[in-house]
Amino acid sequence: MNEVLLRSLTPSVLGILVRRGADFAAAEDAVQDALVEAIRVWPADPPRDPKGWLVTVAWRRFLDATRSEAARRRREDLVDEEPTPGPAPAVDDTLQLYFLCAQPSLTPSSAVALTLRAVGGLTTRQIAQAYLVPEATMAQRISRAKRTVSGVRFDQPGDVATVLRVLYLVFNEGYSGDVDLAAEAIRLTRQLAAAIDHPEVAGLLALMVLHHARRAARTAPDGSLVPLAEQDRGRWDTESIAEGVEILQAALARDRLGEFQAQAAIAALHADAPTAEETDWVQIVEWYDELTHLTDSPVVRLNRAVAVGQADGPRAGLAALAELDDSLPRYAAVTAYLHERDGNLATAARLYAEAAEKAPNLAERDHLTRQAARLNARRCR
């Protein structure tokens, strides 16, 4: 069963159903049912036209689910519109679906959650982890969002800022999570950049391209994480780095700074350094100051503490860290790193082990566990 193929076809199938008259929530449910049926049937009997098969099955599931008296009176008309077997129209509705989910009637957090679930292909658990809330809470939020947009027409546009936030989270999940969605997020952001003249769209595209340029060096052959300072920079995609820097410079020249442009500037400084030791940490701290002003995000402040620790020494970094809530994700890992640089190996080893227990994924947990073991071995010599 090709899970990647199913995920790639989902937005287009969903768009076809909505254009044919299904409300968004019902269409999303019907497509999910069709995907379950595909997982059951395709291994033994793969269709010649996977997309057409999904459209047909999803449309029939939608019809079966429409049980009200009014729907029954309309059913004959809907059956007449049922797509015939064969190739389905080659229309990419993915970006339009992102805008459908980004409705003004939804809060930004609910719009992002709905899009990640219905279009991005993420599980409720993955979305809950991204938002740092219980899975049950996120499931309720997504259900309420579905009900809210159930009557919204397909051609009603949503909010650009919300769409950007969704694309950013989809990219992050694809870049570091269990589902590879990074390339799809970049593709959609390129489409958006071509359609909308907006510096933050360009900033997000630059950020994605710069991060993606380093992807090949992020993991070792055994799948373990490789920290930025230890990555083989010869494996970085220099053409992508040059493209990302060019996009960023054009966006910054418009003097309408936003958070994605600031993040991209930090990524560009990392990408521009020939070695980890030559990284311009002073300028990175300055960009984190700009980013803090724009977002006032505790996660940004956490990352800034790391940069301060590099620019002004680990104790300065620890002082910056002391101003933050120690319940923040990766707080223990950052504290461990700064204590290690300050020579406090026992505290660093303990904190690495503590951070490993809270890690959001297996690769990060294994990396932090190895860091703790490495320091414990050094202390025993």
Side-chain angles (χ1 to χ4, degrees):
M1 170 52 55
N2 191 333
E3 182 179 349
V4 174
L5 174 61
L6 286 176
R7 291 184 183 279
S8 67
L9 292 174
T10 297
S12 182
V13 175
L14 182 58
I16 290 172
L17 263 65
V18 173
R19 287 202 308 275
R20 288 183 175 275
D23 67 70
F24 184 86
E28 202 266 339
D29 289 341
V31 172
Q32 292 299 321
D33 287 344
L35 294 177
V36 171
E37 184 70 7
I39 292 172
R40 186 183 69 82
V41 171
W42 286 10
D45 186 20
R48 287 193 298 270
D49 177 18
K51 182 178 177 181
W53 189 98
L54 285 171
V55 170
T56 300
V57 172
W59 185 254
R60 287 172 179 167
R61 292 301 172 93
F62 164 69
L63 294 179
D64 291 342
T66 309
R67 296 190 179 96
S68 69
E69 189 63 33
R72 282 197 294 270
R73 289 196 298 268
R74 169 84 172 120
R75 183 166 294 184
E76 289 186 4
D77 294 335
L78 293 174
V79 170
D80 291 340
E81 297 173 14
E82 179 179 335
T84 58
V91 178
D92 184 0
D93 296 311
T94 308
L95 195 57
Q96 195 168 0
L97 287 169
Y98 273 63
F99 274 93
L100 176 65
C101 293
Q103 288 300 310
S105 56
L106 295 174
T107 64
S109 60
S110 294
V112 171
L114 175 63
T115 313
L116 292 173
R117 181 69 187 93
V119 189
L122 274 63
T123 66
T124 303
R125 175 173 295 180
Q126 288 170 323
I127 301 168
Q129 289 174 344
Y131 273 87
L132 310 176
V133 299
E135 185 176 353
T137 300
M138 183 53 65
Q140 292 175 354
R141 184 180 300 177
I142 293 172
S143 295
R144 287 195 299 269
K146 284 183 181 180
R147 290 194 296 270
T148 300
V149 302
S150 61
V152 174
R153 295 302 305 166
F154 189 66
D155 58 355
Q156 291 179 323
D159 177 59
V160 174
T162 302
V163 172
L164 290 179
R165 177 64 53 190
V166 175
L167 288 168
Y168 177 60
L169 290 175
V170 170
F171 177 81
N172 282 342
E173 184 60 39
Y175 189 67
S176 60
D178 300 324
V179 181
D180 187 0
L181 296 168
E184 174 69 358
I186 292 175
R187 183 183 73 84
L188 292 173
T189 307
R190 288 190 189 280
Q191 284 188 7
L192 189 58
I196 299 176
D197 184 19
H198 193 298
E200 271 294 81
V201 177
L204 178 58
L205 179 58
L207 176 63
M208 289 180 175
V209 170
L210 288 165
H211 277 310
H212 207 59
R214 304 199 307 257
R215 188 172 189 180
R218 291 186 70 249
T219 54
D222 62 0
S224 60
L225 290 179
V226 180
L228 177 61
E230 301 172 18
Q231 288 177 13
D232 177 2
R233 300 186 178 217
R235 299 184 65 194
W236 290 1
D237 185 343
T238 54
E239 290 186 4
S240 292
I241 290 173
E243 179 193 8
V245 170
E246 182 179 357
I247 294 170
L248 172 63
Q249 288 175 338
L252 291 175
R254 301 179 63 176
D255 198 24
R256 290 170 55 193
L257 184 63
E259 63 174 295
F260 293 123
Q261 294 170 68
Q263 289 190 55
I266 293 169
L269 287 166
H270 282 297
D272 189 53
T275 66
E277 293 74 22
E278 296 174 84
T279 303
D280 189 346
W281 286 106
V282 172
Q283 194 171 353
I284 287 176
V285 171
E286 292 174 356
W287 275 111
Y288 270 120
D289 289 339
E290 293 280 1
L291 193 53
T292 300
H293 176 72
L294 289 166
T295 67
D296 196 29
S297 162
V299 175
V300 169
R301 292 180 183 274
L302 185 72
N303 291 330
R304 179 185 178 278
V306 176
V308 169
Q310 294 287 357
D312 301 326
R315 294 191 180 182
L318 288 167
L321 204 59
E323 302 173 2
L324 303 176
D325 187 343
D326 62 7
S327 66
L328 278 171
R330 298 184 172 88
Y331 182 97
V334 171
T335 310
Y337 172 74
L338 291 172
H339 275 295
E340 180 185 355
R341 290 196 65 234
D342 197 36
N344 192 342
L345 302 188
T347 299
R350 175 179 58 79
L351 289 169
Y352 275 132
E354 178 184 319
E357 295 177 358
K358 303 175 182 178
N361 57 66
L362 181 61
E364 189 170 333
R365 185 182 70 192
D366 289 347
H367 170 71
L368 293 167
T369 301
R370 282 194 294 271
Q371 295 293 85
R374 174 178 57 82
L375 293 186
N376 285 326
R378 283 179 59 185
R379 291 171 55 220
C380 294
R381 288 175 187 170

